[in-house]
Amino acid sequence: MTHVSLAISILAVLVAMVTVLGHRAHTEAVLTQTRAADQWNLYQAKKMRQTQDAGVADLLSLQPNSNGEAVEKRLEFYRARIEKATDDMKEEQDKAKDFEADVTKTERHAGRFDLGEALLQIAVVLSSITLLTRQQRYFALGLTLGAIGTVIAATGLLN
């Protein structure tokens, strides 16, 4: 039964390692989701500024004035800001989508760690039953589930 006790200890260490990896993956997903939300907020702010600039430019072009040259310079200023905002918004949108893709990927990895952890915990329990019952089938089943859990958790490390 010494080999069973040793295997249970190894399985327990694997459970601890996979648990930490899972928690870190979940934390990373939350942080990345926050970055995506911040990026979308930046996009929204630039969109609002662009809309305001377009409104000001429209009003300025409709106002009767005595200094057409000054008005035209100001209109060019607003048109340039509107054009820059359009370019910036595309960039902000792309960054936000990249963050969202990273969130999806990280959540997929976290799910692998969670499944691996669950299988490893079941493996520890089944292997422990071997110590009580002295029936090797529980140990064999525990080791099998432990191996499967380890492989699944390891796939969480892959990109």
Side-chain angles (χ1 to χ4, degrees):
M1 288 293 133
T2 305
H3 66 285
V4 174
S5 297
L6 179 61
I8 292 170
S9 298
I10 292 169
L11 288 170
V13 169
L14 290 172
V15 168
M17 290 170 52
V18 172
T19 299
V20 168
L21 290 171
H23 288 202
R24 295 192 92 188
H26 285 291
T27 300
E28 181 64 27
V30 169
L31 292 173
T32 306
Q33 182 61 49
T34 301
R35 288 184 195 112
D38 288 347
Q39 201 65 41
W40 281 118
N41 287 337
L42 183 58
Y43 170 86
Q44 187 81 17
K46 288 186 179 194
K47 179 71 174 168
M48 290 172 60
R49 181 181 292 158
Q50 180 194 38
T51 302
Q52 289 173 341
D53 287 347
V56 169
D58 285 346
L59 288 174
L60 191 57
S61 66
L62 295 173
Q63 282 285 346
N65 62 69
S66 59
N67 189 348
E69 187 177 314
V71 170
E72 194 55 42
K73 279 185 179 181
R74 203 65 189 153
L75 280 172
E76 283 302 314
F77 168 78
Y78 282 112
R79 288 182 190 131
R81 275 181 48 166
I82 292 167
E83 188 175 321
K84 183 178 181 333
T86 301
D87 294 340
D88 287 352
M89 285 188 320
K90 174 68 175 138
E91 184 179 317
E92 303 307 336
Q93 187 178 38
D94 290 344
K95 285 180 186 177
K97 287 180 180 180
D98 288 345
F99 280 131
E100 288 177 343
D102 288 345
V103 169
T104 301
K105 180 175 136 185
T106 305
E107 286 176 341
R108 190 172 51 249
H109 291 265
R112 294 285 184 155
F113 292 133
D114 290 345
L115 179 58
E117 177 187 357
L119 290 173
L120 284 164
Q121 287 176 345
I122 293 168
V124 168
V125 171
L126 287 173
S127 297
S128 297
I129 291 172
T130 303
L131 295 175
L132 299 173
T133 64
R134 308 270 189 227
Q135 294 182 17
Q136 291 296 317
R137 64 180 174 204
Y138 291 113
F139 184 59
L141 184 57
L143 286 182
T144 302
L145 287 178
I148 293 169
T150 301
V151 169
I152 289 173
T155 63
L157 295 171
L158 304 174
N159 289 330

